[in-house]
């Protein structure tokens, strides 16, 4: 038992039947009277621990009933038991610290996966929207507040993209005819001139004008002028 503990067998008279030879004499002197005098063996079912001195060393003895008139005694130095308790306490503390560290790592990993990374993605999406990049693809599939915020970002990006397309169309097309306006014409002309310059080719520009169109507005009204200004529908068989 441990490093210096041992087992013994004693009868109902307190005599040691079995014990290490080098300790049986000491045991007999130390415990025989105490076993009988305190009624320890007769109350084995109620009390199974006895303390005493063995070779000037405090020991603890536990008893267990074996059979008629025979009891098993285990003797363990109290100091050794205390040392074992301290070692066990250190082991428990170490296991507790490791468990806490592992729990912190797991919590951080879960937070990183479920909270920090989605927030980082939303932050990047916000910067992208602020920079004018409206084609977002936020892959956050969750049913919590972050998922709702992600859906709001996607909806806002879609709405801004549609608005941008509408504004771009309005800025580059005539509101009456729907044809490309002067701004788009200048942009196209600049591209064509640059391409012609780089390739060494020549281009031709045809300019058409309608004379006295103002008389239609003055005589028939602006509505008639707008109706005549719209392009005729293309009829095909």
């Amino acid at each position: 038992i441990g490093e210096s503990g041992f087992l013994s067998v004693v009868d109902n008279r307190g005599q040691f039947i079995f014990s290490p030879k080098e300790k049986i004499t000491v045991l007999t002197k130390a415990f025989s009277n105490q076993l009988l005098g305190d009624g320890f063996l007769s109350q084995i079912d109620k009390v199974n621990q006895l303390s005493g001195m063995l070779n000037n060393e405090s020991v603890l003895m536990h008893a267990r009933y074996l059979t008629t008139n025979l009891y098993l005694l285990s003797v363990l130095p109290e100091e050794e038991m205390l040392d074992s308790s301290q070692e066990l306490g250190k082991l428990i503390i170490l296991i507790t610290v490791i468990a806490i560290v592992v729990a912190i790592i797991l919590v951080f990993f879960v937070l990183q996966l479920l909270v920090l990374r989605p927030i980082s993605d939303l932050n990047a999406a916000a910067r992208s929207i602020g920079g004018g990049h409206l084609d977002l693809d936020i892959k956050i599939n969750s049913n919590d507040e972050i998922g709702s915020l992600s859906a709001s970002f996607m909806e806002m990006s879609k709405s801004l993209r549609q608005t941008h397309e509408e504004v771009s169309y309005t800025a580059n097309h005539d509101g009456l005819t729907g044809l490309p306006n002067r701004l788009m014409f200048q942009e196209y002309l600049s591209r064509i001139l640059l391409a012609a310059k780089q390739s060494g080719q020549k281009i031709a520009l045809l300019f058409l004008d309608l004379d006295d169109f103002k008389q239609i507005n003055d005589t028939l009204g602006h509505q008639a002028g707008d109706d005549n200004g719209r392009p005729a529908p293309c009829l095909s068989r």
Side-chain angles (χ1 to χ4, degrees):
I1 303 176
E3 296 181 0
S4 56
F6 55 91
L7 294 174
S8 297
V9 178
V10 64
D11 60 13
N12 59 344
R13 295 174 298 172
Q15 298 296 321
F16 286 88
I17 306 302
F18 168 80
S19 189
K21 293 181 180 180
E22 69 276 8
K23 298 181 179 180
I24 189 168
T25 303
V26 180
L27 282 171
T28 303
K29 292 180 180 179
F31 292 117
S32 292
N33 295 331
Q34 194 171 3
L35 290 173
L36 295 175
D38 295 342
F40 179 72
L41 295 178
S42 61
Q43 303 181 28
I44 191 68
D45 294 333
K46 300 179 181 179
V47 181
N48 66 344
Q49 179 173 311
L50 182 67
S51 61
M53 299 296 296
L54 182 62
N55 292 337
N56 297 322
E57 184 179 16
S58 178
V59 295
L60 294 176
M61 183 167 60
H62 294 264
R64 183 181 296 275
Y65 176 78
L66 291 178
T67 184
T68 305
N69 298 331
L70 287 180
Y71 302 89
L72 178 67
L73 303 179
S74 60
V75 181
L76 179 66
E78 188 174 356
E79 183 177 356
E80 184 176 341
M81 187 187 68
L82 293 177
D83 292 339
S84 299
S85 299
Q86 292 176 357
E87 292 296 328
L88 181 61
K90 293 179 182 178
L91 180 61
I92 292 175
I93 292 175
L94 178 61
I95 294 175
T96 303
V97 172
I98 293 176
I100 292 175
V101 172
V102 172
I104 291 175
I105 293 176
L106 290 177
V107 170
F108 178 78
F109 177 77
V110 172
L111 288 177
Q112 178 73 19
L113 181 64
L114 300 180
V115 179
L116 299 181
R117 185 178 299 176
I119 290 178
S120 178
D121 293 341
L122 291 177
N123 188 24
R127 291 197 301 267
S128 179
I129 293 176
H133 304 287
L134 303 179
D135 295 328
L136 298 181
D137 185 16
I138 306 175
K139 297 180 180 180
I140 299 178
N141 298 321
S142 60
N143 297 323
D144 54 7
E145 289 78 3
I146 294 180
S148 300
L149 187 59
S150 173
S152 299
F153 266 76
M154 294 293 293
E155 187 66 25
M156 179 176 64
S157 173
K158 181 180 178 181
S159 177
L160 289 175
R161 185 166 59 250
Q162 292 176 350
T163 302
H164 176 74
E165 293 174 354
E166 293 174 358
V167 171
S168 177
Y169 182 85
T170 303
N172 292 281
H173 292 77
D174 183 72
L176 177 63
T177 63
L179 299 174
N181 60 10
R182 181 179 299 178
L183 180 63
M184 181 174 286
F185 166 74
Q186 291 176 347
E187 182 180 349
Y188 282 170
L189 182 61
S190 298
R191 294 179 184 178
I192 294 173
L193 290 175
L194 180 60
K197 183 177 180 181
Q198 292 176 348
S199 61
Q201 297 179 350
K202 295 182 178 181
I203 64 171
L205 178 62
L206 180 64
F207 180 79
L208 299 178
D209 188 20
L210 296 178
D211 293 333
D212 300 328
F213 190 80
K214 182 175 181 297
Q215 294 181 5
I216 298 177
N217 291 331
D218 294 340
T219 58
L220 302 178
H222 289 281
Q223 183 63 41
D226 292 344
D227 294 337
N228 286 276
R230 293 190 180 94
C234 181
L235 301 178
S236 61
R237 296 181 180 179

